[in-house]
Amino acid sequence: MKVKRAKPVSDELLKKMDKWWSAANYLAVGQLYLLDDPLLRRPLRKEDVKRKIVGHWGTVPGQNFIYTHLNRIIKQYDLDMIYLSGPGHGGNAMVAQDWLDGSYSEIYPDVSRDEEGMRRLFKQFSFPGGISSHVAPEVPGSINEGGELGYSLSHAFGAISDNPELIAACVVGDGEAETGPLAAAWHLNKFMDARTDGAVLPILHLNGFKIANPTVFSRITHEEVEEFFRGCGWTPLFVEGSDPMEMHRKMADTLDEAVYMIRTAWQREREQGITERPRWPMIVLRSPKGWTGPKEVDGKKVEGSFRAHQVPIPMTKDEHYAQLEAWMRSYRPEELFDENGAPVPELLELAPVGDRRMGANPHANGGKLLRALRLPDFRKYALDVPFPGSVEASDMTQLGGFVRDIFKLNKELRNFRVFGPDETMSNKLGSVFEEVGRDWNAEIYDDDEFLASDGRVMDSLLSEHCCEGMLEGYLLTGRHGFFNSYEAFIRIVDSMFSQHAKWLKVTKALPWREEIE
Amino acid sequence: MKVKRAKPVSDELLKKMDKWWSAANYLAVGQLYLLDDPLLRRPLRKEDVKRKIVGHWGTVPGQNFIYTHLNRIIKQYDLDMIYLSGPGHGGNAMVAQDWLDGSYSEIYPDVSRDEEGMRRLFKQFSFPGGISSHVAPEVPGSINEGGELGYSLSHAFGAISDNPELIAACVVGDGEAETGPLAAAWHLNKFMDARTDGAVLPILHLNGFKIANPTVFSRITHEEVEEFFRGCGWTPLFVEGSDPMEMHRKMADTLDEAVYMIRTAWQREREQGITERPRWPMIVLRSPKGWTGPKEVDGKKVEGSFRAHQVPIPMTKDEHYAQLEAWMRSYRPEELFDENGAPVPELLELAPVGDRRMGANPHANGGKLLRALRLPDFRKYALDVPFPGSVEASDMTQLGGFVRDIFKLNKELRNFRVFGPDETMSNKLGSVFEEVGRDWNAEIYDDDEFLASDGRVMDSLLSEHCCEGMLEGYLLTGRHGFFNSYEAFIRIVDSMFSQHAKWLKVTKALPWREEIE
């Protein structure tokens, strides 16, 4: 059955989605600023506002925009999709979305989907005893921590490996896009197999600024951006502008096109047996930083400027309170939430249902899907050494046989991978190639050794960052694997590994995160 | 005076250059294998060959090819040029070149430019008590260590910053090109100023393989490679093939074009005042891995395959000795070296002279050019605190004033820079912008703050790797600066910094390396 293009989304639906977006933005601003009176039932009072505002706004409306539109395609096409938030901060966006679709309150019943829950939702954000301002393990649906930047794409590629139905929508901030680990990861599309892996849908969020500087990708020509991504093997689709309704239309059409391209690529390989490397779609979303936020504060431009990055209104003058109130009321909360503070029914029906909600997708809570790895009896691989010095052999070679047999025993489960920067042979683990290939979906020559588009030894890219990142994404989605590298080079990912270890430590204290170890 | 295109190089000169290339390749193979009889005066005996061959051949002939051609343009245009060898190994190429042009023996007189010197040159390579197989501080002309990959381009950009006449020719291996730090560094061309900085000439050495795998850039389409580099803001020039004389012609023509483009960009900015960001040239050299080496060993393809990466003939069988001898004699050493083992006069006249030799360029031995940094009296920046708690202030803000005044005092020398990943403001060093701008040569909008194409605060790219790499390149070429970042993120460059510290430690024991501290 040939994949068909969808009919354009109705204007009516786009208007409802715009309301969802407003609700999410309202909830994100509320998290940033408010202590009390979450529905603004009375004029804003100083004591309703947090004393110290710590958090970020700049990335939030763009991420809320993306999330709103992803929900639509999940529902329309019944997609199995997870969301990776690459930008360093903006945890309030993902938390707002989780609260709106109910996945947050299911996990944290005290933050209920009503006025009292909204009050708690607002207060806890970036507040002593509350939650962090970036996306952290506490956020339902996340497998990627904000903060140290650069790993979102590698995590996404790890997640979709051996998950043929999964799409990982990965928002890459244009700041993050300047880091080395992220820059290398654009090339990971050469290692995916359209038959046995899912798809990564990168969305470069070109909102123009990082902390105090513009971003490189926002200040080169449109042609250069397009050439760059084509050169990386993607088909870039552009969504550019600032008028909300025009942007909703563009984004909806573009996502329909992206879904069409992904499903066509899958179908060509899975049903027609065409093995040519697909040119997967990616999206460039150029929208104002701090979109829908205050245009100007203290006489200086904020929306569309680096000043929108963190706290757009600093709350240091009396007039700021009126400004904040006007900003929050501009989303018309009275039309978004009912008398009890719950989202109005018109919004509720937009959310995906059950595990299709990105905050509840089991892939982002890998322990739910974990199946124990079948291990051979390690005693079988012992070397017989009758007396000292009587046998010349290598422990790593023996280990290679053990690892090969792990692949053999878990062949049907396809839940085990080995990662490393082109060192499988030199680390003497070459026996694994008796059982599986190397991951590779670029051109293959006759003389190459062990390359295979469905290979599960990811040793074919010389990037410690990408290999470690893919391993993390693979593990956090409930599978097994390890990274091997020389002692001298493993330190390249020291800092990255520490962050992963921190993630694991924090998840241990979260009862709803199922064990992945 | 308008820059003019050069006349094509004569066939006669290309033939001489081919001989130089043969001499360099011969010397590199000799370093890899031989203990004695460097000129092969007698048939090769087992005892003339090292017992354990440790080193790399794959990258060597390509790097020798590039170096030979760079020497030609240095002489023809009187260029001030340094060479950065990005590939992890292949130190024998750069050492061979240094020995050929005399810069090696000037520093290490016991490795003289005669038969006895050649014997020592061969024996010392990757041998107990000798020199390493990768480019290390011991190699004249180098500021970039092999091994941990990814920093060559950042080092090159650091070197040419505030060195308006310098060209850094930077060979990037196609393995190294897959690392994150290198991938990010292609974008550093947006931070260079054609008036106050020199030029980086990247040469992507597409020889197709890393250790045991093909490389990504060699297995995507030609169109993708071209789009990628255009997208990164370069004008890629392609030199592709395997026939030596055809390749010499292509490389010579291409380098003439690259020099023309660089000088035109300089002239437009310096004489015509055109400030548009230039599209600098870069070269893609696609040549066989292990070019001119053995085609086949033990029935398996070697030249043009991953098997040429390290030791192409393993010396484990008797027939290997004949094969090695035939390979070395294929370069016709009798035509390259005179009776005493010195390069024949025809070769000697090809080398640049004095400090123009890349092995003797003072920029690569930065202490030679170092001028002390003028520092203000730090006492002037002390805060008056009459009694505890009486003043509210920040130590970092005070430091910002001190750093600003360093810029002021060294304005004419232009020998000081600050590096960091967009954290100058948040680290409270913002006072520096009273004196200098941020490095930025992409588009600038009215509302931007402190951006300037000749800025010397490199905080405008969100890559710890690139900032640290540029700092290292800036310091090693005899200037001053520092890197600032949050405690949480500085660890990203832990491993990179350790390698830099190791470089400094080793240089301390080399009397010819002038102090840079």
Side-chain angles (χ1 to χ4, degrees):
Chain A
M1 197 189 71
K2 201 152 158 31
V3 175
K4 282 186 192 148
R5 280 199 162 79
K7 280 187 196 140
V9 171
S10 70
D11 286 338
E12 192 198 338
L13 179 54
L14 288 185
K15 275 180 202 154
K16 285 185 189 170
M17 288 163 64
D18 186 62
K19 268 182 103 162
W20 177 288
W21 184 40
S22 289
N25 286 338
Y26 180 85
L27 293 168
V29 181
Q31 289 177 73
L32 203 50
Y33 284 99
L34 295 193
L35 272 178
D36 205 354
D37 190 22
L39 289 167
L40 295 178
R41 292 190 189 269
R42 55 188 179 231
L44 189 69
R45 304 176 312 174
K46 277 201 180 178
E47 52 267 44
D48 294 334
V49 177
K50 295 178 185 177
R51 286 270 193 103
K52 193 166 169 58
I53 320 289
V54 184
H56 290 67
W57 165 247
T59 177
V60 164
Q63 287 204 62
N64 274 334
F65 181 82
I66 294 165
Y67 206 102
T68 303
H69 280 262
L70 294 175
N71 275 345
R72 196 271 302 178
I73 57 171
I74 289 171
K75 269 185 88 89
Q76 178 164 339
Y77 302 98
D78 190 29
L79 300 177
D80 191 4
M81 181 178 273
I82 59 171
Y83 180 86
L84 290 96
S85 173
H89 286 267
N92 33 344
M94 208 161 163
V95 168
Q97 296 286 351
D98 286 340
W99 189 86
L100 271 179
D101 71 19
S103 53
Y104 203 86
S105 306
E106 281 168 28
I107 288 172
Y108 303 108
D110 56 321
V111 187
S112 45
R113 219 158 28 151
D114 53 26
E115 186 168 1
E116 173 56 17
M118 199 192 288
R119 199 187 58 79
R120 291 177 185 217
L121 183 81
F122 288 1
K123 182 175 174 181
Q124 69 174 6
F125 179 78
S126 207
F127 199 77
I131 64 170
S132 67
S133 77
H134 61 273
V135 174
E138 289 86 350
V139 180
S142 175
I143 61 164
N144 182 71
E145 180 137 26
E148 189 177 318
L149 298 168
Y151 314 134
S152 60
L153 259 186
S154 298
H155 287 162
F157 277 101
I160 63 134
S161 295
D162 298 321
N163 267 330
E165 301 306 324
L166 185 65
I167 300 176
C170 181
V171 182
V172 177
D174 47 356
E176 183 185 24
E178 293 175 8
T179 67
L182 199 292
W186 293 118
H187 292 287
L188 287 174
N189 53 12
K190 280 103 197 173
F191 302 88
M192 293 300 115
D193 182 40
R195 191 167 54 81
T196 57
D197 301 319
V200 172
L201 177 61
I203 300 155
L204 177 66
H205 189 199
L206 219 58
N207 67 17
F209 299 91
K210 30 201 195 243
I211 305 179
N213 274 291
T215 59
V216 170
F217 275 107
S218 71
R219 299 295 179 91
I220 58 178
T221 67
H222 188 285
E223 197 188 358
E224 283 173 322
V225 177
E226 185 156 0
E227 282 174 320
F228 178 83
F229 287 109
R230 287 195 178 279
C232 290
W234 300 93
T235 297
L237 307 172
F238 288 82
V239 177
E240 301 175 291
S242 61
D243 177 83
M245 290 316 297
E246 280 176 26
M247 288 291 277
H248 283 308
R249 168 60 61 203
K250 284 185 199 170
M251 188 67 173
D253 290 351
T254 301
L255 279 174
D256 281 335
E257 183 64 19
V259 172
Y260 173 77
M261 289 172 72
I262 288 171
R263 297 175 124 199
T264 303
W266 282 351
Q267 200 214 31
R268 278 162 57 92
E269 179 110 6
R270 295 173 194 184
E271 295 173 26
Q272 296 164 251
I274 297 166
T275 56
E276 197 179 281
R277 167 166 61 95
R279 285 187 153 268
W280 300 100
M282 61 84 60
I283 293 173
V284 179
L285 171 65
R286 194 190 292 265
S287 65
K289 186 142 187 163
W291 200 7
T292 73
K295 308 272 181 238
E296 212 174 80
V297 177
D298 298 333
K300 291 195 166 170
K301 183 179 172 181
V302 174
E303 191 198 35
S305 122
F306 66 88
R307 292 185 200 91
H309 178 70
Q310 210 156 334
V311 178
I313 307 179
M315 310 310 286
T316 49
K317 298 178 188 171
D318 282 347
E319 68 193 65
H320 291 160
Y321 289 84
Q323 222 170 347
L324 173 61
E325 185 174 352
W327 173 21
M328 291 198 71
R329 291 200 191 277
S330 75
Y331 297 116
R332 303 175 179 262
E334 64 283 3
E335 296 174 13
L336 309 172
F337 307 102
D338 66 19
E339 194 46 34
N340 301 318
V344 296
E346 183 190 348
L347 291 186
L348 288 177
E349 69 192 25
L350 294 179
V353 177
D355 283 0
R356 288 306 202 206
R357 292 171 300 175
M358 292 190 283
N361 191 303
H363 290 293
N365 187 359
K368 285 191 171 181
L369 303 174
L370 188 73
R371 298 187 56 180
L373 194 65
R374 294 181 191 151
L375 291 174
D377 180 357
F378 65 88
R379 292 171 195 87
K380 270 176 51 192
Y381 305 86
L383 258 178
D384 188 26
V385 184
F387 57 90
S390 61
V391 176
E392 198 167 310
S394 136
D395 50 355
M396 287 301 287
T397 307
Q398 294 302 107
L399 180 64
F402 178 74
V403 177
R404 173 199 60 216
D405 293 344
I406 299 177
F407 277 114
K408 199 178 284 180
L409 288 173
N410 298 276
K411 197 167 189 164
E412 279 73 42
L413 288 173
R414 294 186 67 83
N415 63 345
F416 178 64
R417 286 195 177 223
V418 173
F419 300 82
D422 197 8
E423 293 171 10
T424 310
M425 294 304 280
S426 47
N427 285 334
K428 299 186 182 165
L429 297 172
S431 305
V432 298
F433 296 124
E434 295 163 21
E435 193 57 32
V436 286
R438 294 181 150 123
D439 220 2
W440 188 264
N441 202 9
E443 219 180 323
I444 297 181
Y445 297 165
D446 288 344
D447 197 51
D448 292 325
E449 285 185 343
F450 318 127
L451 302 181
S453 66
D454 66 344
R456 272 177 301 130
V457 176
M458 176 65 197
D459 81 333
S460 27
L461 182 75
L462 195 52
S463 166
E464 287 79 1
H465 294 107
C466 288
C467 289
E468 170 65 18
M470 280 188 68
L471 170 65
E472 292 173 8
Y474 198 70
L475 296 177
L476 291 178
T477 47
R479 282 80 61 80
H480 310 271
F482 68 88
F483 179 93
N484 68 100
S485 181
Y486 309 158
E487 197 180 344
F489 298 151
I490 198 87
R491 286 192 55 201
I492 293 170
V493 291
D494 255 14
S495 163
M496 197 175 170
F497 172 75
S498 299
Q499 192 164 334
H500 179 63
K502 194 180 110 191
W503 177 282
L504 295 178
K505 181 185 157 194
V506 173
T507 55
K508 278 205 178 292
L510 299 170
W512 62 273
R513 286 254 181 212
E514 304 273 344
E515 288 279 342
I516 60 161
E517 285 160 90
Chain B
M1 197 189 72
K2 197 150 161 35
V3 175
K4 282 187 192 148
R5 281 201 161 78
K7 281 186 196 141
V9 172
S10 71
D11 287 338
E12 192 197 339
L13 179 54
L14 288 185
K15 276 181 201 151
K16 285 185 189 170
M17 287 162 64
D18 186 62
K19 268 181 103 161
W20 178 287
W21 184 40
S22 289
N25 285 338
Y26 180 86
L27 293 168
V29 182
Q31 288 177 75
L32 203 51
Y33 284 99
L34 294 193
L35 272 179
D36 206 355
D37 191 22
L39 289 167
L40 294 178
R41 292 190 190 270
R42 54 188 180 233
L44 188 69
R45 304 176 312 174
K46 277 200 180 178
E47 52 268 43
D48 295 334
V49 177
K50 295 177 186 178
R51 285 270 194 104
K52 193 167 170 58
I53 319 291
V54 183
H56 290 67
W57 166 246
T59 177
V60 164
Q63 287 203 63
N64 274 335
F65 181 83
I66 294 164
Y67 206 102
T68 304
H69 280 263
L70 294 175
N71 275 345
R72 195 271 301 177
I73 57 170
I74 290 171
K75 269 186 89 89
Q76 179 164 338
Y77 301 98
D78 190 28
L79 301 178
D80 191 4
M81 181 177 272
I82 60 171
Y83 181 86
L84 289 96
S85 172
H89 285 266
N92 33 344
M94 209 161 163
V95 168
Q97 296 285 351
D98 286 340
W99 189 86
L100 272 177
D101 71 19
S103 53
Y104 203 86
S105 305
E106 281 169 29
I107 288 172
Y108 303 109
D110 56 320
V111 186
S112 46
R113 219 156 32 150
D114 54 25
E115 185 168 1
E116 175 54 18
M118 200 192 289
R119 198 187 60 77
R120 291 176 185 218
L121 184 81
F122 287 3
K123 184 176 173 178
Q124 71 175 5
F125 179 79
S126 205
F127 199 78
I131 64 171
S132 68
S133 77
H134 61 274
V135 174
E138 289 87 349
V139 180
S142 175
I143 60 163
N144 181 70
E145 180 138 27
E148 190 177 316
L149 298 168
Y151 314 133
S152 60
L153 258 186
S154 298
H155 288 161
F157 276 101
I160 63 132
S161 296
D162 299 320
N163 267 331
E165 302 305 324
L166 186 64
I167 300 176
C170 181
V171 182
V172 177
D174 46 358
E176 183 185 23
E178 294 175 6
T179 67
L182 200 292
W186 293 117
H187 292 286
L188 288 174
N189 52 11
K190 279 103 200 174
F191 302 88
M192 294 299 115
D193 182 40
R195 190 168 54 81
T196 58
D197 302 318
V200 172
L201 177 61
I203 300 155
L204 176 66
H205 188 198
L206 219 57
N207 67 17
F209 300 91
K210 29 201 196 245
I211 305 179
N213 273 291
T215 59
V216 170
F217 275 108
S218 72
R219 298 295 178 90
I220 58 178
T221 66
H222 188 286
E223 197 187 0
E224 283 174 322
V225 177
E226 185 156 0
E227 283 174 320
F228 178 83
F229 287 109
R230 288 196 177 279
C232 291
W234 300 93
T235 297
L237 308 171
F238 288 82
V239 177
E240 302 176 291
S242 61
D243 177 83
M245 290 315 296
E246 280 176 26
M247 287 292 278
H248 284 308
R249 169 59 63 201
K250 285 185 198 171
M251 187 68 173
D253 290 351
T254 301
L255 279 174
D256 281 336
E257 182 63 19
V259 171
Y260 172 77
M261 290 172 72
I262 289 171
R263 298 175 124 199
T264 303
W266 283 350
Q267 202 215 29
R268 279 162 56 92
E269 178 111 4
R270 297 173 193 184
E271 295 173 27
Q272 296 165 248
I274 297 167
T275 56
E276 195 179 282
R277 167 166 61 95
R279 286 188 152 267
W280 300 100
M282 60 84 60
I283 293 173
V284 179
L285 171 65
R286 194 189 293 265
S287 65
K289 186 139 188 165
W291 201 9
T292 74
K295 307 273 182 237
E296 211 175 80
V297 177
D298 298 333
K300 290 195 167 167
K301 184 179 173 182
V302 174
E303 191 197 34
S305 121
F306 67 87
R307 292 185 200 90
H309 178 71
Q310 208 156 336
V311 178
I313 306 178
M315 309 310 285
T316 49
K317 299 178 186 169
D318 282 347
E319 67 194 67
H320 291 160
Y321 290 84
Q323 222 170 346
L324 172 61
E325 185 173 354
W327 174 21
M328 291 198 71
R329 290 200 192 279
S330 75
Y331 297 115
R332 302 174 181 265
E334 65 285 1
E335 296 176 13
L336 310 172
F337 306 102
D338 68 17
E339 193 46 35
N340 301 318
V344 295
E346 182 190 349
L347 292 186
L348 289 177
E349 69 192 25
L350 295 179
V353 177
D355 284 359
R356 287 306 202 208
R357 292 170 301 175
M358 292 189 284
N361 191 304
H363 291 290
N365 188 358
K368 285 191 170 181
L369 303 173
L370 188 74
R371 298 186 58 180
L373 193 65
R374 294 180 191 151
L375 290 173
D377 181 357
F378 64 88
R379 292 172 196 83
K380 270 176 52 191
Y381 305 86
L383 258 178
D384 187 27
V385 184
F387 56 91
S390 61
V391 177
E392 199 167 310
S394 136
D395 51 354
M396 287 300 289
T397 307
Q398 294 302 107
L399 181 64
F402 179 75
V403 177
R404 173 200 59 216
D405 293 344
I406 299 177
F407 277 114
K408 200 178 284 180
L409 288 172
N410 298 276
K411 197 167 187 162
E412 279 73 41
L413 287 174
R414 293 184 68 84
N415 62 346
F416 178 63
R417 286 197 177 221
V418 173
F419 300 82
D422 197 9
E423 294 171 9
T424 309
M425 294 305 281
S426 48
N427 284 334
K428 298 185 182 164
L429 297 172
S431 305
V432 298
F433 297 124
E434 295 163 22
E435 193 56 32
V436 286
R438 293 182 151 122
D439 219 2
W440 188 264
N441 203 8
E443 219 179 323
I444 298 182
Y445 296 166
D446 287 345
D447 196 52
D448 291 327
E449 285 185 342
F450 318 128
L451 302 181
S453 67
D454 66 343
R456 272 178 300 129
V457 176
M458 176 64 196
D459 80 333
S460 28
L461 183 74
L462 194 52
S463 165
E464 286 80 1
H465 295 107
C466 288
C467 290
E468 169 66 19
M470 280 188 69
L471 170 66
E472 292 174 9
Y474 198 70
L475 296 177
L476 292 178
T477 47
R479 280 82 60 79
H480 310 273
F482 67 88
F483 180 95
N484 67 99
S485 181
Y486 309 158
E487 198 181 343
F489 299 151
I490 198 86
R491 287 192 56 201
I492 293 171
V493 292
D494 256 14
S495 162
M496 197 176 171
F497 172 76
S498 298
Q499 193 165 334
H500 179 63
K502 194 180 109 190
W503 177 282
L504 295 178
K505 181 184 157 194
V506 174
T507 55
K508 279 207 177 290
L510 299 170
W512 63 273
R513 286 252 180 212
E514 304 273 345
E515 287 279 342
I516 59 161
E517 286 160 89

